[in-house]
């Protein structure tokens, strides 16, 4: 990943916005591997690469990533400051209903919850959940996480009844229907054909061909038909 960062700095030196975007992605990859010090180093490179007038959303994204990295690295104070700044920057660009803002709000709620301010954590979680519900399907992972985080705050506050309601609001995707083995499907198809054929038979046996003759499937009936 560091070689990729060096290659990006060499090839995208004349495009600072593109360079910052690539480096931020590399920092997120380090963070996903729990390499928080390495992620922080890359994020600092992003700070240096960002132009004075960075594209909308790039600086708040960096601040959010830095805040999450600090939170996971065990520095809640730095995480709180960075995430609050990310929320402020996102709101300043008139993005008061964006998914990026919801992401920052949700992560800030985690930091505030860890610091013990349950009232603010609940308010932040509810705001993030409201934004996500307006933009995402109810069964999306982000909506589910907002519900879970809000339920955790409510349980910590002692609001167990409301926490239970929130928990039941989480809608998980249904698993795909189970496909039966081919041999089982073939047996079922044969049974359906047999049932259909049986249903097509007449309800009563056909009348005898000659009045008073025995049924065709009896020996007497067979001999009777052979008589001249």
């Amino acid at each position: 990943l560091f070689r990729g960062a060096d290659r990006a700095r060499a090839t995208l030196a004349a495009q600072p916005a593109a360079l910052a975007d690539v480096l931020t992605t590399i920092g997120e990859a380090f963070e996903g591997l729990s390499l928080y010090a390495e992620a922080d180093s890359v994020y600092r490179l992003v700070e240096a690469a960002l132009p004075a007038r960075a594209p909308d959303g790039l600086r708040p994204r960096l601040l959010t990533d830095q805040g999450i990295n600090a939170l996971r690295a065990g520095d809640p104070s730095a995480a709180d400051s960075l995430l609050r700044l990310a929320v402020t920057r996102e709101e300043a660009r008139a993005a008061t209903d964006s998914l990026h803002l919801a992401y920052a709000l949700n992560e800030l709620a985690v930091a505030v919850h860890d610091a013990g301010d349950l009232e603010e954590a609940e308010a932040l979680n509810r705001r993030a959940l409201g934004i996500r519900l307006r933009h995402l399907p109810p069964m999306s992972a982000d909506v589910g996480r907002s519900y879970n985080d809000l339920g955790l705050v409510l349980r910590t506050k002692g609001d167990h009844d409301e926490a239970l309601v929130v928990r039941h609001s989480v809608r998980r995707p249904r698993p795909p229907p189970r496909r039966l083995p081919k041999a089982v499907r073939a047996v079922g198809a044969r049974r359906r054909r047999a049932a259909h054929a049986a249903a097509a038979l007449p309800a009563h046996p056909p009348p005898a061909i000659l009045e008073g003759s025995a049924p065709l499937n009896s020996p007497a009936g067979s001999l009777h038909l052979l008589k001249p």
Side-chain angles (χ1 to χ4, degrees):
L1 288 173
F2 272 125
R3 284 198 295 270
D6 291 338
R7 193 178 305 115
R9 294 171 68 190
T11 57
L12 298 173
Q15 305 173 55
L19 174 59
D21 187 47
V22 171
L23 290 176
T24 301
T25 303
I26 293 174
E28 291 167 350
F30 273 124
E31 190 179 315
L33 295 170
S34 301
L35 300 173
Y36 305 121
E38 290 81 355
D40 185 63
S41 299
V42 175
Y43 289 146
R44 293 182 185 279
L45 293 177
V46 178
E47 286 182 317
L50 272 177
R53 294 185 176 181
D56 278 354
L58 191 52
R59 197 173 296 277
R61 174 188 169 191
L62 171 62
L63 290 167
T64 303
D65 286 340
Q66 287 177 305
I68 296 171
N69 190 63
L71 185 64
R72 292 176 178 171
D75 191 350
S77 177
D80 185 280
S81 300
L82 289 163
L83 290 167
R84 287 186 190 278
L85 188 54
V87 169
T88 301
R89 291 288 181 88
E90 195 72 22
E91 291 174 334
R93 68 187 194 95
T96 56
D97 195 48
S98 71
L99 289 173
H100 292 295
L101 176 60
Y103 185 50
L105 288 168
N106 207 91
E107 299 304 326
L108 178 58
V110 174
V112 171
H113 183 196
D114 290 348
D117 191 343
L118 301 180
E119 295 296 334
E120 186 182 9
E122 180 184 350
L124 291 167
N125 271 317
R126 289 188 184 279
R127 188 178 171 195
L129 175 60
I131 293 172
R132 284 173 167 170
L133 285 173
R134 286 192 291 274
H135 293 280
L136 298 172
M139 290 187 294
S140 72
D142 285 341
V143 170
R145 187 188 170 192
S146 286
Y147 272 125
N148 287 330
D149 289 347
L150 177 57
L152 179 60
V153 172
L154 292 170
R155 285 196 300 275
T156 307
K157 289 178 62 180
D159 297 337
H160 298 291
D161 290 340
E162 189 175 1
L164 187 62
V165 172
V166 169
R167 180 182 178 184
H168 286 301
S169 298
V170 181
R171 297 179 61 184
R172 295 176 175 83
R174 295 179 180 176
R178 186 170 63 91
R179 187 170 176 81
L180 295 173
K182 186 175 180 180
V184 176
R185 297 200 305 272
V187 171
R190 287 197 296 271
R191 287 179 177 174
R192 287 192 295 272
R193 287 195 296 270
H196 181 73
L201 293 174
H204 302 287
I209 295 178
L210 294 175
E211 188 174 353
S213 65
L216 292 178
N217 57 358
S218 69
S222 301
L223 293 174
H224 177 76
L225 291 176
L226 292 174
K227 289 179 180 179

